[in-house]
Amino acid sequence: MVRIGIDIGGTFTDIVVAGDDEVRTHKVPSTPADPSRGAIDAVEAAAVDPAAVEEFDHGTTVATNIAIERNPGARVVFLTDEGFADVLEIMRTDRENMYDRQWEKPDPLVPRTDRHGVPARTTVDGEIHTPLDEAAVRAVVREYADRDETVSYAVSMLHSYANATHERRVAEIIAEEHPEAYVSSSHDVFPQAGEYERASTVVANAYVKPKMRDYVERLAGDLRERGMDAPVNIMQSNGGLLPVSEVADVPAKTLFSGPAAGIAGATHFGGDPDLITMDMGGTSTDVGLVQDGVPVSTTEGEIQWGIPVQFPQMDIEAVGAGGGSIAWVDEGGLLKVGPQSAGADPGPVCYGRGGTEPTVTDANIVLGRLNPETFAGDLDLDVAAARAAVADLGERLGMDAEETALGILEIAMNALTGAIRSVTVERGVDPREFGLVAFGGAGPMHAPGVIKVSDIPRAIVPPNPGVLSAAGLLTTDFRYDQLQSFIRPLSAFDDDALDDLNDEVDAMVTEGQAALDTDGLDTVTVELAADLRYREQAYEVTVPLASERPVTSDDLAAAAGRFHEKHEQLYGHKSEGDAVEVVNVHVAIVGTRTPPGALDPEARGGGGTAEEARVDTREAVFADGRQETAIYARDLLAPGSEFTGPAIVEEGQSTTVVLPGQRARVDPTGNLVIEETGGEDA
Amino acid sequence: MSDDGVDPVTQEVVGNFLQSTADEMGTTMMRTAYSSILIAKDFSTGLFDADANIIGQADYVPIHIASMQYSVQWAVQEIGRDNLEPGDMIMHNDPYRGGTHIADHTVIRPVFTADESELLGFTANRAHQLDMGGMSAGGFAGDATDAYQEGIRVPPVKIWDAGEEQRDLWKFLLSNVRVPRNTFGDMRAQIASNLTGEERLHELVERYGLDTVRETWGALRDHSERLMRAQISDMPDGTYHGVDYMDDDGITDDRVRIEVEITVDGDEFTIDFEGTDPQTAGPINCPWAVTAGGVYIALYHLTDPDIRFNEGCLRPVHIMVPSGTVLNADHPAPTFGGNTETSKRVIDAIVRAFVDALPERVTGAHIGTSLNFTGGGDHPDREEDYAWYLFIEGGWGGTPDHDGASAVKSQISNTRNQPVEVLERKYPFLMRRYELRPDSGGPGEHRGGLGVVWEVELLDGEASFNALADRVTIPPWGVHGGEPGRPNEILIQRPDDESFRPVGEVFDTVSPSKFSNVPFEPGDVVSVRTAGGGGYGDPADRDVEKVLTDVEMGYVSPDAAREEYGVDPDGGETR
């Protein structure tokens, strides 16, 4: 039996087929117009026996593309309390660029004609101030029901996290009057205080829902046609899988799933519980953090500036430095890198497809660090053109081509280091205890440069870094995240309040366990956490709440203790005498399974010594000049082999550049580990 | 190599590092703050060299641009550079010592080298404190007549003296404010923010060495100067003249004149405020730093907003403000609203001067006020006083190629709003409406953005409120044939009233937009209706389809479509 992982990226769709003993990988071009075709193409390229497939795990950015490109999504009808229907357009009243007098505010996903306020009002304590005017709701819904058009309703009423009576009733009326319409309600999708963020999240869900449902149904149908009846699971933004039927219901949970599978793969293969992940592509780099074997997550996400979607997602710092990032000189004579990118088309100058401005990849070519014959697959790279472009730029700085190329890389490396600082030091985490796992097209090439300019002790390049995301799909857990605002000071938790809290938690646990009712899970566990803050403080800190249910007053006291500690770790001080309040409660249902035997890192082997793997030498340029540099073939390097930089390791289209003053070794799991030897700077 | 001797790669890396350090200081501030004011980003952070020149600043509050440097320089001068010691933490809020208004507290950390042998520079931040005492809860007494009524003034003092926390000073300070727990929490966030910046500066020196760091800081200032000069050079040479007015000063109903004459000569920008009215009795006076801040914002509006701000940007700009005027007031004139209100008129007057010379850079006028709405009372459920500071957004002007943005904070701030669901938890309020205000955008080929209608009811307890706003009498202007936006209104409906009436009328205040300590009783509803932006271009040139869409969306009423645009949405004759 095998499991299939398929990851659809912007350019390529990757497939990993893994059984107990064997792993096969393929890349096929993505088909953006109809992404499921790319997935089916990949299945066919891999020539899998349909009867042997026991599970199909899938990462897709279909929802992301609908939301970001508005290509377009559904017609969303927004319903809320009378007087507040403009919340989607008022937004949070700040702006992206504060000195731009001509700033354009993003258009809301729902135009004003489709936003409706109906008489109704619930107070902050969950009491009904103005009863819902049901006739008004009915009138609005009937108007849409009479049209021959797919409608996706988004219902988000004030304080519905405290009392969802009105929202439930509105959903019932829609079901009566317009039964074929899609409905998303905020108490169901995202019951957190803060009316704009909640409304924005539920609207985004409604916006992508019809197309996402079509997509997953078509994909499952196509697979069945090919005789594949295995369960289909989809990757969410939180790095966990969910059965396809659950995703179809709340597809916004996949909006930020792009980086998730890669981080899941890095977590599994990185060989260390504490990792910084660096996924470097053509236009940008995503930096993430894994602590104690768990990727760090956040709920602060935006589909575009000012339009938040607040489901748990990998806490990524994205930086506009990728292989295609363009280097330029500003009017004041400073060298800059990015944020403009040559992308895949025209691509770097060396691709010879019309690019004229030098990129990070061109700098690597000028320095001899990339193999022009293999780096871009079948495409032979134009070294002379890259050199001329970099030299032209350098002329304006009074620097030669090599100096300029080194400068471009130094600026890019420091930008990456800044992103790493954001996910570590700024959150009270010391990066000196972390390994840097590099993947993506440009990650392995630059990670050794990053550790040189930062405090990170080692870079880790897993084997097959180009399909790490697809492999990650097969190694990650299932996960169903829920949240409920439950705002009150700790001192107010009497027995009644505890009962209320436990009722909420139990309801979430029941819902989550039902969602993960799927075959093949080894264990299903419940994780409880809470957002706490000092009373009236404007920001919360998330801490574990209890290991067992029901939650007791002792659990709350212990959570408060963890809160003080974590507050001090993050912000340098705590106030144990101050009142603490609970803001939100999180419930996660986690389902684990055993990854296919062939993806067990311990199962790796093969290859020979460094001497045997050394296939060539080439001149390459480093900070202290031009040096004869050994070239190693990655698949010939066995665990235990070791060599020193400068060295270049080639593996298909991935290149790892080990700098002078660094040492590389292959660890028992096949990872290439690069460390500083403590010698002089290079 | 550049002329400065520091290679352009190191310069770029260090410049980015300073920027991310200032940003990180802001993150620390937001996450440790108590009040929602700071989480709404009403603060700025900056890094300074040993001569207190600004070398890096984070983008949070535009009006803090440039002005923070004056506070730091004043503090260093007053305390004396030789009296600075490792472990010091200085705070001050005096508008007459380089500050802006009493609510803005600047906290300054002298940063010494790791071996404590030399002064390396300063980290500093400025944050709006919810309440600093004075005659009105939450500040912004619209009818204050001197600085003493506006709250407690703190001259530059060491709140940490060589690492020793000055508890007596805390006690003294916190005894003079209405919400001490809040104030203490926010000031501690300011301190934490500076310590974060200090750590990063030490890292920078460890990596590059003191000499290179200092040289690079100088080179970065020169670099920004070159960029700013290039921008000014792109403006046509000449002398430009602009005038605008404040509605009134809160004490009389006379309008107050702001006048500028600007000379662009090559890469130098000289601005003279001769002709501006004398300082006023009411609280709309600016200290010099505020006026300067307004000038730099206007310059950024008219040039490239992406130049990394530091002391170098200031060099080609020459600002002359006659003393004793509303833009360079003498002590003890009240200044609370100079920072938020009159500063905008400085920007307006400058932009207006360039309407014909830079038609692609200007827009219709923006909302023109921060619409500061403050107050306080006894919280019915908690045994303590409460105070609020809310300020409401409005429309921005139409631009040369698109309609103005709706519901955006004014050009001198960039804070977020307070969510209904947060406000109602903190205060005994029930929000009645919060939506766009139709027909408020100034008609034009490119319409002004819309203001909002923001209505709040007091549910329980005794309270009072204050306002310090403007553009209630004189609306935001349009340009190139565009019409003005609808002006701001502050209204109240008492439980027995049938409709809303202006607060000024109900309580017989001199000004419709500036007053203090108006009683707020349970059942009262205050309605703030903010201005739309001015239009750009003749409304008759607006695309008919756009007018019809505006009507369909409810941004423009059918009547206004007919009257202002000559378009009949019911399908009759159109133009």
Side-chain angles (χ1 to χ4, degrees):
Chain A
M1 298 301 274
V2 294
R3 294 185 211 165
I4 291 182
I6 290 196
D7 185 59
I8 301 190
T11 315
F12 290 108
T13 296
D14 298 335
I15 182 168
V16 171
V17 182
D20 283 340
D21 311 313
E22 194 198 11
V23 186
R24 279 181 294 138
T25 63
H26 291 269
K27 262 182 195 298
V28 299
S30 290
T31 52
D34 175 11
S36 65
R37 219 190 68 227
I40 296 297
D41 289 350
V43 170
E44 293 186 338
V48 192
D49 169 14
V53 178
E54 58 176 352
E55 187 175 299
F56 187 94
D57 298 328
H58 183 33
T60 173
T61 52
V62 167
T64 321
N65 295 341
I66 296 168
I68 289 174
E69 293 164 20
R70 302 195 181 190
N71 70 354
R75 174 168 205 156
V76 177
V77 173
F78 177 67
L79 287 159
T80 189
D81 305 84
E82 185 174 50
F84 298 90
D86 285 327
V87 63
L88 297 175
E89 188 163 347
I90 292 171
M91 299 174 36
R92 295 299 305 277
T93 75
D94 53 344
R95 55 194 181 275
E96 187 173 9
N97 184 340
M98 71 175 191
Y99 295 114
D100 182 357
R101 191 175 174 88
Q102 302 185 13
W103 181 68
E104 269 188 279
K105 201 167 178 172
D107 284 330
L109 290 174
V110 188
R112 199 161 193 250
T113 37
D114 288 331
R115 305 197 296 254
H116 302 276
V118 291
R121 188 67 148 86
T122 302
T123 68
V124 69
D125 300 319
E127 284 158 21
I128 306 293
H129 176 274
T130 305
L132 178 69
D133 182 342
E134 299 194 2
V137 179
R138 227 170 268 281
V140 169
V141 175
R142 273 189 192 147
E143 203 182 300
Y144 289 97
D146 286 345
R147 302 180 198 171
D148 183 23
E149 186 182 11
T150 303
V151 170
S152 190
Y153 290 91
V155 187
S156 189
M157 309 191 76
L158 289 175
H159 299 298
S160 65
Y161 60 90
N163 179 351
T165 306
H166 286 160
E167 278 191 8
R168 286 205 184 91
R169 189 64 197 127
V170 170
E172 283 166 14
I173 292 171
I174 295 169
E176 287 163 25
E177 299 289 343
H178 198 174
E180 66 278 19
Y182 295 81
V183 186
S184 306
S185 296
S186 82
H187 72 276
D188 195 26
V189 168
F190 182 68
Q192 177 169 279
E195 70 274 7
Y196 176 61
E197 287 74 13
R198 190 171 70 252
S200 178
T201 301
V202 71
V203 162
N205 191 64
Y207 189 72
V208 300
K209 197 166 174 173
K211 275 197 175 174
M212 189 65 175
R213 178 162 290 185
D214 285 354
Y215 171 75
V216 296
E217 281 175 1
R218 193 162 60 245
L219 177 67
D222 288 349
L223 290 172
R224 266 195 308 277
E225 259 176 41
R226 283 160 180 76
M228 221 174 283
D229 285 328
V232 177
N233 306 305
I234 307 243
M235 188 65 159
Q236 310 165 83
S237 313
N238 66 4
L241 293 168
L242 260 195
V244 69
S245 55
E246 291 295 328
V247 169
D249 208 35
V250 192
K253 288 183 172 176
T254 70
L255 277 169
F256 306 104
S257 63
I263 293 178
T267 306
H268 182 74
F269 295 106
D272 206 334
D274 292 326
L275 297 164
I276 297 159
T277 65
M278 173 179 145
D279 179 359
M280 187 171 186
T283 53
S284 65
T285 302
D286 288 336
V287 175
L289 188 69
V290 179
Q291 267 184 300
D292 296 331
V294 181
V296 174
S297 66
T298 176
T299 55
E300 291 174 25
E302 291 183 328
I303 54 177
Q304 89 181 75
W305 186 91
I307 302 187
V309 171
Q310 298 209 318
F311 287 117
Q313 57 200 271
M314 301 286 120
D315 196 352
I316 297 288
E317 185 75 19
V319 51
S325 293
I326 290 172
W328 52 289
V329 174
D330 76 2
E331 264 187 307
L334 274 197
L335 179 59
K336 304 265 173 182
V337 178
Q340 299 300 319
S341 168
D345 193 25
V349 177
C350 61
Y351 281 24
R353 290 200 294 236
T356 54
E357 295 170 288
T359 65
V360 168
T361 297
D362 292 311
N364 279 292
I365 282 286
V366 166
L367 299 175
R369 298 183 184 183
L370 293 178
N371 184 339
E373 279 148 32
T374 58
F375 176 69
D378 296 338
L379 185 69
D380 274 357
L381 299 185
D382 187 341
V383 179
R387 192 176 179 82
V390 173
D392 275 357
L393 192 71
E395 212 160 282
R396 298 165 57 192
L397 298 161
M399 291 162 55
D400 68 22
E402 276 84 11
E403 278 173 350
T404 308
L406 287 167
I408 291 169
L409 294 189
E410 185 177 343
I411 289 167
M413 293 310 102
N414 279 281
L416 295 172
T417 306
I420 289 167
R421 193 165 49 231
S422 301
V423 302
T424 56
V425 180
E426 287 191 27
R427 293 165 205 184
V429 173
D430 186 346
R432 282 174 296 192
E433 288 148 27
F434 284 66
L436 178 71
V437 191
F439 52 102
M445 198 187 315
H446 296 104
V450 170
I451 66 167
K452 187 160 282 290
V453 297
S454 68
D455 291 336
I456 301 168
R458 62 189 169 281
I460 299 161
V461 183
N464 245 324
V467 293
L468 191 70
S469 293
L473 290 168
L474 298 176
T475 61
T476 195
D477 294 334
F478 282 64
R479 187 176 178 95
Y480 192 85
D481 277 313
Q482 286 165 284
L483 161 155
Q484 172 69 51
S485 279
F486 198 87
I487 309 173
R488 63 199 71 193
L490 279 185
S491 59
F493 274 91
D494 52 17
D495 288 348
D496 285 350
L498 265 179
D499 285 349
D500 288 350
L501 175 71
N502 280 305
D503 287 349
E504 297 276 12
V505 167
D506 289 346
M508 287 192 275
V509 169
T510 305
E511 185 187 326
Q513 285 174 336
L516 290 200
D517 183 15
T518 181
D519 293 338
L521 294 183
D522 296 341
T523 62
V524 176
T525 54
V526 176
E527 292 174 4
L528 303 181
D531 296 335
L532 304 187
R533 67 183 175 203
Y534 292 117
R535 191 165 171 205
E536 288 190 12
Q537 193 173 21
Y539 219 95
E540 299 96 40
V541 173
T542 307
V543 293
L545 176 59
S547 51
E548 285 177 6
R549 288 177 295 142
V551 178
T552 65
S553 51
D554 286 349
D555 290 330
L556 289 173
R562 285 189 281 272
F563 165 74
H564 292 304
E565 295 313 312
K566 193 162 173 190
H567 195 278
E568 182 167 42
Q569 181 207 340
L570 288 171
Y571 310 126
H573 65 88
K574 58 183 173 182
S575 314
E576 282 175 334
D578 284 9
V580 173
E581 63 187 353
V582 175
V583 183
N584 300 308
V585 177
H586 300 262
V587 173
I589 311 295
V590 180
T592 63
R593 62 200 168 135
T594 312
L599 292 183
D600 183 349
E602 304 298 332
R604 302 240 189 88
T609 64
E611 265 324 296
E612 289 161 346
R614 182 167 170 157
V615 291
D616 199 358
T617 56
R618 193 161 72 219
E619 279 201 340
V621 180
F622 298 93
D624 49 3
R626 185 173 291 273
Q627 299 192 33
E628 200 62 25
T629 303
I631 312 294
Y632 296 91
R634 176 78 186 262
D635 51 11
L636 300 180
L637 284 167
S641 49
E642 260 190 70
F643 52 94
T644 53
I648 291 169
V649 184
E650 294 178 354
E651 174 186 23
Q653 292 179 28
S654 286
T655 301
T656 306
V657 179
V658 183
L659 300 173
Q662 295 182 331
R663 176 188 298 117
R665 63 184 158 83
V666 180
D667 77 4
T669 68
N671 286 332
L672 191 56
V673 180
I674 298 114
E675 290 165 310
E676 291 288 313
T677 55
E680 64 192 88
D681 270 10
Chain B
M1 291 287 177
S2 74
D3 305 340
D4 307 295
V6 183
D7 72 87
V9 174
T10 304
Q11 275 187 55
E12 173 66 4
V13 170
V14 172
N16 288 340
F17 186 90
L18 294 177
Q19 184 61 55
S20 67
T21 298
D23 289 343
E24 187 185 349
M25 289 170 68
T27 307
T28 303
M29 181 100 87
M30 276 190 272
R31 299 202 177 189
T32 53
Y34 255 68
S35 80
S36 43
I37 294 179
L38 296 197
I39 195 120
K41 303 188 295 193
D42 195 349
F43 66 84
S44 288
T45 56
L47 301 160
F48 301 80
D49 69 13
D51 296 322
N53 291 308
I54 190 154
I55 52 172
Q57 175 166 325
D59 281 355
Y60 294 102
V61 178
I63 194 62
H64 292 166
I65 183 176
S67 65
M68 201 167 19
Q69 168 169 317
Y70 304 119
S71 285
V72 177
Q73 286 171 348
W74 191 293
V76 173
Q77 205 160 19
E78 184 163 331
I79 290 176
R81 188 170 155 162
D82 294 344
N83 297 322
L84 298 176
E85 289 182 79
D88 284 352
M89 189 73 72
I90 299 161
M91 64 163 60
H92 97 89
N93 74 339
D94 189 346
Y96 289 102
R97 287 173 160 103
T100 45
H101 64 174
I102 271 170
D104 280 347
H105 262 256
T106 304
V107 177
I108 304 161
R109 171 76 162 181
V111 176
F112 286 78
T113 52
D115 64 3
E116 303 194 342
S117 63
E118 282 186 70
L119 184 65
L120 171 61
F122 301 86
T123 59
N125 59 73
R126 166 171 288 171
H128 188 109
Q129 291 291 341
L130 174 56
D131 186 274
M132 288 310 298
M135 69 189 278
S136 61
F140 288 106
D143 52 0
T145 52
D146 69 31
Y148 302 104
Q149 294 169 341
E150 297 192 308
I152 182 165
R153 277 197 298 153
V154 184
V157 293
K158 292 182 179 180
I159 193 78
W160 289 8
D161 192 345
E164 194 77 24
E165 187 150 20
Q166 301 302 295
R167 290 176 174 275
D168 289 348
L169 205 49
W170 276 123
K171 275 202 273 190
F172 172 71
L173 183 67
L174 296 175
S175 300
N176 282 283
V177 302
R178 291 178 177 81
V179 285
R181 192 157 52 92
N182 207 311
T183 307
F184 182 62
D186 278 358
M187 287 185 173
R188 208 161 46 173
Q190 291 190 265
I191 290 171
S193 164
N194 278 349
L195 295 178
T196 297
E198 176 177 69
E199 262 182 59
R200 295 297 164 269
L201 289 186
H202 282 155
E203 284 173 29
L204 192 65
V205 172
E206 195 181 322
R207 186 161 151 203
Y208 289 101
L210 189 56
D211 291 344
T212 304
V213 163
R214 282 187 172 146
E215 254 180 86
T216 308
W217 288 352
L220 284 168
R221 285 153 54 203
D222 294 345
H223 173 253
S224 285
E225 178 187 356
R226 285 195 294 277
L227 291 181
M228 186 54 94
R229 285 190 185 280
Q231 289 288 323
I232 294 169
S233 297
D234 287 345
M235 301 169 95
D237 277 2
T239 299
Y240 305 94
H241 191 252
V243 174
D244 208 339
Y245 295 90
M246 296 288 291
D247 288 349
D248 59 70
D249 73 338
I251 301 300
T252 75
D253 55 10
D254 299 336
R255 63 183 192 176
V256 179
R257 181 182 176 89
I258 308 294
E259 180 164 355
V260 294
E261 188 174 273
I262 298 155
T263 304
V264 177
D265 182 7
D267 60 6
E268 300 264 323
F269 185 96
T270 305
I271 181 162
D272 188 341
F273 287 94
E274 190 66 48
T276 294
D277 275 347
Q279 65 189 58
T280 58
I284 62 164
N285 298 293
C286 298
W288 192 88
V290 168
T291 302
V295 170
Y296 293 112
I297 294 173
L299 195 53
Y300 267 51
H301 280 185
L302 296 169
T303 58
D304 175 8
D306 289 333
I307 301 175
R308 206 145 48 193
F309 183 80
N310 60 37
E311 179 271 342
C313 297
L314 312 181
R315 294 177 194 160
V317 180
H318 312 284
I319 303 171
M320 284 167 285
V321 198
S323 72
T325 62
V326 70
L327 297 184
N328 188 6
D330 293 331
H331 180 261
T335 62
F336 228 117
N339 188 46
T340 68
E341 305 301 295
T342 318
S343 61
K344 293 185 182 72
R345 223 56 77 237
V346 169
I347 301 167
D348 287 343
I350 296 169
V351 170
R352 229 171 173 176
F354 287 96
V355 163
D356 292 320
L358 295 171
E360 295 308 308
R361 291 283 190 175
V362 301
T363 70
H366 297 351
I367 167 177
T369 176
S370 288
L371 224 143
N372 303 291
F373 175 66
T374 61
D378 299 326
H379 201 292
D381 303 328
R382 302 178 190 174
E383 288 168 5
E384 59 188 12
D385 291 346
Y386 67 100
W388 72 83
Y389 171 37
L390 299 166
F391 51 116
I392 324 292
E393 61 284 353
W396 278 34
T399 82
D401 58 15
H402 57 86
D403 293 342
S406 297
V408 182
K409 285 292 190 309
S410 83
Q411 63 269 42
I412 66 114
S413 70
N414 193 24
T415 55
R416 310 186 98 191
N417 65 355
Q418 299 245 15
V420 172
E421 291 177 349
V422 171
L423 267 189
E424 293 184 348
R425 185 164 304 279
K426 290 169 61 178
Y427 310 119
F429 288 173
L430 184 79
M431 291 293 296
R432 300 286 293 265
R433 280 169 88 186
Y434 187 12
E435 55 190 359
L436 296 176
R437 183 185 183 198
D439 284 336
S440 56
E445 182 183 356
H446 301 293
R447 175 175 49 69
L450 271 52
V452 299
V453 180
W454 185 94
E455 287 180 7
V456 63
E457 176 183 345
L458 183 71
L459 292 176
D460 202 1
E462 290 294 313
S464 63
F465 66 88
N466 322 293
L468 216 175
D470 205 65
R471 288 248 191 258
V472 167
T473 317
I474 307 171
W477 35 262
V479 289
H480 295 295
E483 299 289 328
R486 190 169 282 192
N488 297 287
E489 296 180 61
I490 307 171
L491 312 174
I492 190 165
Q493 185 175 28
R494 322 227 48 182
D496 297 332
D497 294 345
E498 278 182 12
S499 59
F500 285 97
R501 286 190 295 152
V503 169
E505 200 179 295
V506 174
F507 293 96
D508 200 24
T509 62
V510 174
S511 164
S513 59
K514 302 173 189 71
F515 41 78
S516 70
N517 294 306
V518 171
F520 198 17
E521 289 169 10
D524 287 351
V525 181
V526 170
S527 178
V528 174
R529 302 176 185 186
T530 61
Y536 191 108
D538 188 342
D541 293 335
R542 185 166 177 81
D543 188 32
V544 173
E545 281 306 312
K546 283 189 178 167
V547 178
L548 294 175
T549 303
D550 276 355
V551 172
E552 198 194 339
M553 294 285 173
Y555 297 140
V556 171
S557 65
D559 283 349
R562 279 185 285 267
E563 284 159 26
E564 304 286 354
Y565 294 96
V567 173
D568 183 356
D570 300 326
E573 259 326 281
T574 54
R575 311 208 262 258

